[in-house]
Amino acid sequence: MTPVPVDPGEEFFVACLCAQWCGTCRDYRTGFEALAAQFPKMGFAWVDIEDHADLIGDIDVENFPTILIQRQESVLFFGTVLPDHALLKRLLETYAAQTPDESERYALATPERREWQRDANLRALLRAN
């Protein structure tokens, strides 16, 4: 798993935004990498928000671990999760079961998700850097 891919080409992109100093993050990483192996058609990235602050711009991380899931340019999920890999696995399975049109509608269905499109599109930020 690359720390931060420049332009992930996979349909789905899953990023964990964490910090090396965070014990919960360090504990979470092994399971996150195991999920990457279970979902080989999805791009996964471990993003240390301090080491890669210049790449992630103004994305606001309030707590750890913060997960960002995109399908192409649509941000489907952006938020803190409990450090339980089964929860992330269920999220990924749910989003993978959607059609691209369903994902796009889902991404725009609430004001909060519409904000994610503007403020948390990590793929766009990575391309810009």
Side-chain angles (χ1 to χ4, degrees), residues 1-10 12-19 25 28-37 39-49 52 55-56 59 61 65-70 78 88 92 122-123 126:
M1 179 179 341
T2 57
V4 181
V6 174
D7 188 12
E10 292 86 356
F12 285 92
F13 175 54
V14 184
C16 184
L17 293 94
C18 272
C25 292
Y28 190 74
R29 188 170 187 165
T30 301
F32 183 79
E33 290 173 348
L35 282 174
F39 293 88
K41 293 185 179 181
M42 295 184 180
F44 280 70
W46 187 264
V47 182
D48 187 302
I49 64 164
H52 300 103
L55 295 177
I56 64 170
I59 290 180
V61 176
T66 292
I67 299 293
L68 182 136
I69 303 170
Q70 288 187 244
F78 176 64
L88 180 54
L92 297 175
L122 187 54
R123 278 184 157 162
L126 293 173

Side-chain angles (χ1 to χ4, degrees), residues 92-121:
L92 297 175
E93 290 168 343
T94 298
Y95 294 134
Q98 293 177 338
T99 67
D101 287 341
E102 289 171 331
S103 289
E104 188 173 343
R105 283 193 304 274
Y106 177 84
L108 300 172
T110 68
E112 179 182 39
R113 290 188 214 139
R114 287 190 294 276
E115 282 182 31
W116 295 346
Q117 309 316 305
R118 182 188 67 234
D119 300 335
N121 185 333

